[in-house]
């Protein structure tokens, strides 16, 4: 099993904890639910990285075949799930701005803003790779943007 499965699981548990705490302490919590929905879509897509990492490191051929088949079934939906995550996260950002205003000195808003820009470029690079340029350089950029997104989401949860 890949370390990414463990990290994704820990981030998911942390997100559930933040959502439960946020819902109990806010009068209006639609922005929290939108953010959580967008996060779930992102983490679903990002878990494909964990699957690929496990495929590369697995010694058992049958496990590699099983994981590759599962990933192949999910692949047609990958870009649409990412695009949906972007739309939901933009709605989350709009709801936050309506409630709290656009104040980049607030670390929660700043990290969310940076994460949303990163998610936009991440989704854009995925579509660019499909439609225009499938070279390895674009794939590596896409993976690095995914790692950056993971880190930015974790930092966003801290604040």
């Amino acid at each position: 099993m890949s370390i990414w499965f463990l990290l994704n699981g820990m981030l998911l548990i942390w997100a559930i904890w933040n959502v439960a705490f946020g819902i109990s302490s806010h009068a209006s919590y639609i922005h929290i639910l939108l953010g959580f929905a967008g996060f779930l879509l992102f983490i679903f897509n990002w878990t494909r990285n964990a699957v690929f990492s496990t495929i590369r490191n697995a010694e058992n051929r049958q496990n590699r075949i099983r994981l590759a088949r599962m990933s192949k079934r999910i692949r047609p939906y990958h870009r649409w799930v990412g695009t949906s995550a972007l739309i939901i996260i933009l709605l989350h950002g709009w709801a936050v701005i309506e409630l709290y205003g656009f104040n980049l000195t607030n670390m929660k808003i700043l990290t969310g803003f940076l994460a949303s820009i990163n998610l936009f470029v991440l989704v854009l690079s995925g579509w660019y790779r499909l439609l225009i340029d499938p070279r390895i350089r674009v794939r590596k950029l896409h993976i690095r943007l995914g790692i950056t997104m993971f880190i930015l989401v974790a930092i966003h949860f801290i604040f």
Side-chain angles (χ1 to χ4, degrees), residues 85-126:
L86 176 63
I87 291 167
I88 292 172
I89 290 300
L90 291 176
L91 290 172
H92 164 70
W94 176 71
V96 168
I97 290 170
E98 286 293 316
L99 285 171
Y100 303 109
F102 188 69
N103 181 5
L104 288 178
T105 59
N106 181 334
M107 287 304 290
K108 188 79 162 177
I109 292 175
L110 177 62
T111 57
F113 181 67
L114 292 174
S116 65
I117 291 171
N118 187 80
L119 182 60
F120 176 74
V121 177
L122 180 66
V123 169
L124 200 63
S125 70

Side-chain angles (χ1 to χ4, degrees), residues 27-90:
S28 174
Y29 52 84
I30 188 70
H31 66 288
I32 295 170
L33 295 177
L34 284 169
F36 186 63
F39 167 77
L40 287 177
L41 291 173
F42 162 73
I43 206 71
F44 172 78
N45 264 358
W46 182 241
T47 301
R48 284 191 71 213
N49 181 56
V51 171
F52 289 139
S53 181
T54 302
I55 289 170
R56 284 189 296 273
N57 297 329
E59 293 180 15
N60 185 346
R61 185 173 189 276
Q62 291 303 319
N63 282 345
R64 288 196 312 260
I65 291 170
R66 183 179 51 83
L67 290 170
R69 284 185 179 149
M70 179 184 65
S71 182
K72 188 177 180 180
R73 276 183 261 142
I74 294 170
R75 186 183 56 205
Y77 308 106
H78 180 75
R79 286 174 189 84
W80 294 108
V81 170
T83 304
S84 299
L86 176 63
I87 291 167
I88 292 172
I89 290 300
L90 291 176

Side-chain angles (χ1 to χ4, degrees), residues 13-24 32 108 154 156-158:
I13 290 168
W14 193 7
I16 292 170
W17 176 267
N18 279 346
V19 167
F21 179 74
I23 287 175
S24 67
I32 295 170
K108 188 79 162 177
H156 186 66
F157 288 160
I158 290 172

